[in-house]
Amino acid sequence: MADETSSPSDAQSSAQDAPPSTAAQPLGEPLVELRDVNKHFGDLHVLRDINLTVRRGEVLVVIGPSGSGKSTLCRAINRLETIDSGEILVDGEPLPQEGKALARLRSDVGMVFQSFNLFAHKTILDNVTLGPVKVRREKTKDAKERALALLDRVGVGNQAHKMPAQLSGGQQQRVAIARALAMHPKVMLFDEPTSALDPEMINEVLDVMAALAKEGMTMIVVTHEMGFARRAANRVVFMADGQIVEEAHPEEFFTAPKSERAKDFLSKILTH
Ligand SMILES: Nc1ncnc2c1ncn2[C@@H]1O[C@H](COP(=O)(O)OP(=O)(O)OP(=O)(O)O)[C@@H](O)[C@H]1O
């Protein structure tokens, strides 16, 4: 399906080559809200007074130099990291601390990591059905049907009975996306989902993500793929040293960045 709905892309192309953003409009009410969020790792202040609201249907791309706190921001929204102060709300509710409420949050906030994180000893189909059956208490038959439909949707329906190691990195990452979608998430977090992939597999994953964006999925995407940001994002957030330095529509950000930090960052990555 991704192949039918998304425009062709070239992940290696610079942002200037990409068509303008096609993300769904208009945006809904706030779905993820961060208020004055701070986080330290020892003496390192990794998130500094972060204030950010992501609306339903919005595709937010987070970019910035290595170590600027992008992953930590993403992980804090899924409560894979705790925060020291401030508040994070998902759909109006503060993040739960533990137990069933935390499991429910993790279904509401789907996460796709750089390293796929599939269960190595389970088939592709089991990888996608396990969460819905164990956490959401869906009937196995229903969960399997939906899993097969999702695997089809990300272009790996014919791989359902294989083991993860039999699939390419790009295929495994698409399975990871299907697995997160199987939990009926309200928002999807992507933490550098293509960074571990061979170059020829990057586009197949970005195309699935762009198709999701077009369908109106709320997404927060940490990525170095500027072409994706340009074509799929409603908004780009640029982070440096744990702070949001600049945020803008991708068109504006890539053509006329305001801060020196962003100009410097873009000049380095867009010339590669
Ligand atoms: N668990 C941890 N313990 C200690 N320091 C950490 C931990 N996780 C991250 N850091 C440090 O926090 C800072 C921010 O890391 P983070 O991974 O959020 O940055 P990033 O912007 O995602 O970087 P990259 O683009 O390289 O992935 C870095 O200096 C990192 O070394």
Side-chain angles (χ1 to χ4, degrees):
M1 188 203 65
D3 294 340
E4 293 165 10
T5 53
S6 57
S7 56
S9 71
D10 177 3
Q12 275 69 58
S13 69
S14 74
Q16 280 93 341
D17 298 332
S21 171
T22 53
Q25 302 275 0
L27 303 174
E29 68 273 24
L31 186 55
V32 178
E33 294 171 83
L34 286 83
R35 297 178 184 160
D36 299 322
V37 170
N38 282 279
K39 166 80 182 171
H40 296 76
F41 286 118
D43 291 340
L44 192 65
H45 199 170
V46 266
L47 297 179
R48 298 169 182 250
D49 295 322
I50 300 287
N51 284 286
L52 184 66
T53 298
V54 182
R55 294 180 175 277
R56 212 177 282 278
E58 185 170 19
V59 178
L60 182 83
V61 166
V62 182
I63 65 172
S66 180
S68 55
K70 307 178 300 291
S71 282
T72 307
L73 176 83
C74 220
R75 292 167 61 82
I77 296 168
N78 204 12
R79 219 192 159 283
L80 289 171
E81 295 288 358
T82 55
I83 55 173
D84 299 336
S85 64
E87 203 178 14
I88 301 179
L89 306 176
V90 173
D91 213 2
E93 301 282 331
L95 293 192
Q97 299 303 306
E98 56 189 7
K100 281 186 183 158
L102 185 55
R104 199 161 51 242
L105 170 87
R106 299 250 166 87
S107 331
D108 284 348
V109 182
M111 180 129 180
V112 175
F113 303 85
Q114 181 176 334
S115 51
F116 328 141
N117 294 4
L118 297 179
F119 301 116
H121 303 292
K122 304 256 178 227
T123 65
I124 296 305
L125 184 60
D126 285 347
N127 262 277
V128 183
T129 49
L130 216 58
V133 171
K134 298 264 185 228
V135 178
R136 290 178 50 87
R137 304 272 168 225
E138 289 179 16
K139 286 187 187 139
T140 305
K141 181 175 166 289
D142 297 344
K144 277 191 175 168
E145 258 174 40
R146 183 166 153 76
L148 285 169
L150 284 169
L151 288 169
D152 263 345
R153 183 170 158 189
V154 300
V156 289
N158 54 351
Q159 313 288 326
H161 300 288
K162 291 189 179 167
M163 303 303 280
Q166 294 175 280
L167 271 58
S168 71
Q171 289 173 322
Q172 288 190 55
Q173 193 59 303
R174 285 182 281 146
V175 173
I177 295 173
R179 183 174 63 171
L181 291 175
M183 300 298 276
H184 301 268
K186 291 176 180 169
V187 52
M188 288 278 285
L189 308 178
F190 293 86
D191 189 6
E192 299 196 23
T194 58
S195 297
L197 298 176
D198 291 336
E200 71 274 18
M201 291 169 192
I202 291 176
N203 280 337
E204 63 193 52
V205 172
L206 293 178
D207 283 349
V208 167
M209 291 167 58
L212 262 183
K214 215 169 177 180
E215 287 161 20
M217 174 60 79
T218 310
M219 294 165 52
I220 300 174
V221 184
V222 176
T223 186
H224 297 292
E225 296 296 338
M226 299 300 130
F228 174 82
R230 187 85 182 252
R231 78 174 157 136
N234 298 98
R235 186 160 48 121
V236 171
V237 161
F238 173 71
M239 284 185 77
D241 297 329
Q243 286 177 306
I244 295 179
V245 174
E246 190 164 339
E247 49 185 307
H249 186 276
E251 205 58 36
E252 189 186 331
F253 180 77
F254 289 115
T255 53
K258 292 189 178 66
S259 65
E260 285 308 316
R261 294 293 303 263
K263 281 180 199 166
D264 184 49
F265 176 77
L266 287 175
S267 72
K268 283 181 184 137
I269 57 162
L270 294 180
T271 51
H272 285 105

